[in-house]
């Protein structure tokens, strides 16, 4: 399979996600695939509402961070698969994943038949 164009796409996507992650978090120095939410500024919070708002904001950031991290992991897996020549193989049936599916989502791990696996 011709993987060059997928590799380029995946690397672009990876750069985009890493820059989004660095806006809200910091890379864990011990595990570069793991990101931590940046600590909020430490100014005193006196009003209860403000505290609640902050927690809400942290929750949102955590959710965003989590989904970005998941995406990043899938992309890294796909890049590893390209290196080892396993790219584009369905993880369920081991058949080749449809090209149009890979074009829509270069980090897809399954063929259309096994979409939900
Ligand atoms: Zn399959």
């Amino acid at each position: 399979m011709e993987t060059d164009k997928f590799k380029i796409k995946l690397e672009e996507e990876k750069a985009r996600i890493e820059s989004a992650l660095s806006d809200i978090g910091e890379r864990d120095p011990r595990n570069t695939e793991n990101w931590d939410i940046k600590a909020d500024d430490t100014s005193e919070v006196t009003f209860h509402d403000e505290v609640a708002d902050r927690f809400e904001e942290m929750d949102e950031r955590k959710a965003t961070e989590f989904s970005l991290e998941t995406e990043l992991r899938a992309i890294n897996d796909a890049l590893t698969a390209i290196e080892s020549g396993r790219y584009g193989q369905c993880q369920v049936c081991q058949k080749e994943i449809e090209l149009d599916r890979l074009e829509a989502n270069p980090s897809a791990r399954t063929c259309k038949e096994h979409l939900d696996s």
Side-chain angles (χ1 to χ4, degrees):
M1 182 191 294
E2 191 49 65
T3 54
D4 284 1
K5 66 172 175 180
F6 294 116
K7 192 174 175 182
I8 292 165
K9 264 196 183 179
L10 286 161
E11 267 161 5
E12 279 172 5
E13 201 52 6
K14 183 176 171 170
R16 186 186 64 78
I17 291 172
E18 283 187 342
S19 94
L21 270 170
S22 63
D23 281 347
I24 55 165
E26 276 159 350
R27 203 193 282 262
D28 184 338
R30 287 150 303 171
N31 175 3
T32 53
E33 279 200 0
N34 195 38
W35 292 70
D36 291 321
I37 294 289
K38 263 183 203 163
D40 238 336
D41 63 80
T42 50
S43 59
E44 290 272 326
V45 181
T46 34
F47 297 105
H48 177 264
D49 280 355
E50 227 173 286
V51 178
D53 277 356
R54 253 180 220 214
F55 274 121
E56 223 164 85
E57 204 198 303
M58 280 301 268
D59 274 356
E60 243 167 66
R61 270 201 250 177
K62 262 185 202 157
T64 311
E65 193 231 343
F66 182 76
S67 73
L68 286 170
E69 236 182 59
T70 308
E71 253 184 276
L72 187 60
R73 214 159 282 154
I75 287 169
N76 282 333
D77 284 354
L79 286 168
T80 308
I82 288 177
E83 296 307 320
S84 59
R86 288 179 295 105
Y87 181 70
Q89 237 179 43
C90 172
Q91 285 192 334
V92 179
C93 64
Q94 318 298 321
K95 282 185 199 152
E96 271 193 16
I97 299 172
E98 294 83 352
L99 272 181
D100 58 338
R101 171 147 162 76
L102 285 175
E103 263 153 25
N105 175 15
S107 56
R109 296 159 190 250
T110 55
C111 70
K112 285 178 188 168
E113 200 185 323
H114 298 112
L115 264 186
D116 299 322
S117 305

